[in-house]
Amino acid sequence: MGGSRRFKNKSCVYCVNGISATGDHVFPREIFEVEDRDNIPKVPACERCNNEKSNLEHYLLSVLPFGGVHSNAEKNLSIDAARRLKKNNKLQTSLRQGMSHVHHPREGKEQERRLGVPIDGNKLHKFSEFVCKGLLWHHWKCLVPSEYTVKAFTPSPAGLEFVGSLFNMNTKCRINANLGNGTVRYKGSMSEADECLSVWALQFLGGITITDESQSFVFDHSLVAVLVGPKRVVGEKWARLCLTPPI
Ligand SMILES: [Zn+2]
């Protein structure tokens, strides 16, 4: 592939200490339609991080399409996910057991019937943390310093309000992207004074409905929020704002 040297022998954007062996697509190519695969952000990654991330992607590509509302979700569901699930009986069984139709109250509208999917939130969050490190480098060439923490969470309504307020920070470093016609959307704001201090919202496949068996809730905020900053700033704040249990 042309230009791949660009991503070799650099600091790995995910762990910073590792040296990159290759360029990693921040979002897995397979989530997109073939014609939308050309402009996916790519970043230098070491082999270890690359492997760890691709394991998470493998899992998420198998389950996310079941909960997405984007038209790609259906296609993925019928083709890619079905193929993967065939190879993974254990996952298939747990999905079948955990999946349920949820009735979705919507203001002024009839209830919408949606499929709730028991997604392993930790894996979705861990993946989202990788993604934000990748995006910080892709957009602003920032490497997250080791004393910084990157925390992804599924926001509660109060958390969502808080995250929304963070996007109002006064900065020119803003990005609002839509890849593959809504297959992936993300929004990020980074402080100008404090490089890497940033807030992110990620949405996959047009928003996902997630059910949590243990708490029997239906999550429909459709996004994952990520805070990046010095440990003392991000600290415990995020923990009080998330709906799903801390990682
Ligand atoms: Zn690495």
Side-chain angles (χ1 to χ4, degrees):
M1 240 196 272
S4 65
R5 194 176 294 168
R6 201 148 67 91
F7 298 105
K8 274 188 181 171
N9 298 318
K10 302 259 158 49
S11 288
C12 168
V13 303
Y14 300 127
C15 67
V16 182
N17 291 324
I19 299 299
S20 66
T22 181
D24 176 61
H25 289 103
V26 175
F27 302 103
R29 296 176 80 244
E30 296 86 345
I31 201 170
F32 298 99
E33 300 262 19
V34 175
E35 63 267 28
D36 294 328
R37 291 178 182 177
D38 292 338
N39 296 314
I40 308 168
K42 215 172 161 187
V43 297
C46 74
E47 210 175 321
R48 193 174 58 91
C49 291
N50 206 12
N51 288 340
E52 193 185 340
K53 181 164 169 281
S54 79
N55 285 338
L56 294 169
E57 290 173 352
H58 183 82
Y59 169 80
L60 292 171
L61 283 166
S62 302
V63 297
L64 283 182
F66 288 97
V69 295
H70 189 264
S71 64
N72 266 13
E74 266 173 53
K75 283 180 196 161
N76 284 344
L77 179 62
S78 58
I79 305 164
D80 293 334
R83 185 166 47 80
R84 281 194 193 86
L85 280 177
K86 243 183 223 165
K87 295 185 197 151
N88 191 339
N89 285 332
K90 199 176 147 213
L91 177 62
Q92 202 169 9
T93 308
S94 84
L95 277 177
R96 200 176 290 139
Q97 286 166 350
M99 222 185 273
S100 58
H101 280 96
V102 288
H103 288 280
H104 207 66
R106 294 205 302 174
E107 249 174 86
K109 289 185 183 164
E110 260 185 65
Q111 280 200 344
E112 187 188 349
R113 198 158 174 266
R114 269 213 214 160
L115 201 58
V117 185
I119 287 176
D120 182 339
N122 286 352
K123 287 186 173 157
L124 179 61
H125 294 160
K126 185 88 190 121
F127 168 72
S128 302
E129 290 166 7
F130 272 109
V131 164
C132 289
K133 289 180 191 175
L135 293 175
L136 278 165
W137 190 86
H138 175 74
H139 290 293
W140 298 302
K141 295 292 175 285
C142 293
L143 285 171
V144 178
S146 58
E147 70 273 20
Y148 273 37
T149 187
V150 180
K151 276 292 174 206
F153 60 97
T154 303
S156 65
L160 207 60
E161 212 168 289
F162 171 74
V163 169
S165 73
L166 292 181
F167 277 110
N168 294 331
M169 74 167 94
N170 187 13
T171 177
K172 289 193 191 82
C173 302
R174 290 176 187 281
I175 194 82
N176 197 341
N178 177 342
L179 302 179
N181 207 11
T183 304
V184 171
R185 286 173 211 268
Y186 63 89
K187 197 170 141 176
S189 289
M190 183 179 81
S191 158
E192 284 171 59
D194 191 351
E195 206 174 73
C196 286
L197 180 68
S198 56
V199 56
W200 298 87
L202 311 172
Q203 189 188 54
F204 305 106
L205 296 171
I208 296 153
T209 301
I210 297 170
T211 57
D212 183 314
E213 293 160 307
S214 59
Q215 299 179 36
S216 66
F217 70 72
V218 178
F219 166 71
D220 187 44
H221 296 299
S222 306
L223 58 83
V224 176
V226 186
L227 303 180
V228 183
K231 288 189 177 89
R232 65 189 156 78
V233 176
V234 175
E236 283 150 19
K237 208 166 233 178
W238 67 275
R240 282 183 278 119
L241 299 165
C242 62
L243 205 55
T244 45
I247 298 160

